[in-house]
């Protein structure tokens, strides 16, 4: 589990660097970036990782980001930008988790690598302003 978490963090960090270099010209990464991520993960973790693995994991990250954005669009939730936490009271939490079990991992818990996720899978994001843009949705 720890190894999988380290791989995920490394994966997001590398893609965030690629986005900052301009290798995500639209909403998708250049093929060269996907291949570089696969190579870096293969070397660092002594595993066989190819472009298909990277694209599958990127799809997972996009799905998580979509859940985070969906929560942010609903009323009753707040945002702690320092801690990168979607906040809510107990009643809101209970109702949200009962209606949408997939919300649970993102409520009242720090979202690991939030800023990097915003760069990697967020739309129309620019370096430095992405967290404020998203935080403005809450409230």
């Amino acid at each position: 589990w720890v190894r999988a978490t380290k791989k995920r963090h490394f994966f997001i960090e590398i893609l965030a660097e690629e986005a900052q270099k301009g290798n995500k010209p639209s909403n998708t990464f250049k093929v060269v970036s996907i291949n570089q991520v696969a190579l870096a993960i293969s070397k660092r973790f002594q595993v066989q990782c190819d472009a298909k693995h990277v694209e599958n994991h990127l799809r997972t990250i996009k799905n998580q980001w979509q859940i985070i954005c969906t929560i942010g669009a609903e009323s009753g939730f707040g945002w702690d930008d320092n801690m990168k936490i979607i906040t809510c009271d107990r009643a809101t939490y209970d109702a949200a988790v009962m209606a949408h079990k997939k919300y649970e991992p993102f409520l009242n818990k720090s979202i690991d690598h939030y800023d990097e996720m915003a760069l990697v899978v967020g739309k129309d994001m620019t370096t430095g302003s992405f967290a404020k843009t998203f935080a403005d949705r809450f409230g």
Side-chain angles (χ1 to χ4, degrees):
W1 183 82
V2 170
R3 186 176 167 107
T5 301
K6 285 184 181 183
K7 268 193 243 181
R8 179 180 184 269
H9 291 175
F10 186 64
F11 170 84
I12 292 172
E13 288 169 3
I14 294 171
L15 281 176
E17 287 175 17
E18 290 296 313
Q20 288 176 319
K21 290 179 194 173
N23 291 329
K24 183 188 169 199
S26 61
N27 214 21
T28 58
F29 282 91
K30 293 180 179 179
V31 173
V32 67
S33 294
I34 298 294
N35 291 335
Q36 285 178 328
V37 172
L39 182 62
I41 289 173
S42 295
K43 284 183 178 179
R44 175 131 180 217
F45 295 98
Q46 307 289 307
V47 296
Q48 182 59 43
C49 181
D50 61 28
K52 186 177 271 190
H53 294 119
V54 173
E55 289 167 355
N56 286 340
H57 195 67
L58 188 53
R59 201 170 6 255
T60 299
I61 300 296
K62 284 180 180 181
N63 288 338
Q64 291 173 341
W65 185 253
Q66 189 167 8
I67 293 167
I68 291 167
C69 290
T70 299
I71 296 168
E74 293 184 13
S75 64
F77 297 98
W79 176 249
D80 181 329
D81 196 45
N82 291 325
M83 300 297 291
K84 308 298 182 204
I85 296 173
I86 298 171
T87 59
C88 62
D89 62 32
R90 188 67 195 180
T92 303
Y93 176 91
D94 290 343
V97 171
M98 185 174 290
H100 307 282
K101 185 71 173 156
K102 63 187 177 186
Y103 285 14
E104 187 174 21
F106 306 104
L107 299 177
N108 295 329
K109 298 175 188 126
S110 181
I111 299 172
D112 289 339
H113 287 60
Y114 171 84
D115 291 341
E116 290 86 350
M117 283 179 74
L119 273 175
V120 170
V121 295
K123 291 178 173 59
D124 304 320
M125 298 295 165
T126 57
T127 22
S129 65
F130 50 84
K132 185 173 176 30
T133 303
F134 184 70
D136 288 344
R137 288 191 206 165
F138 290 97

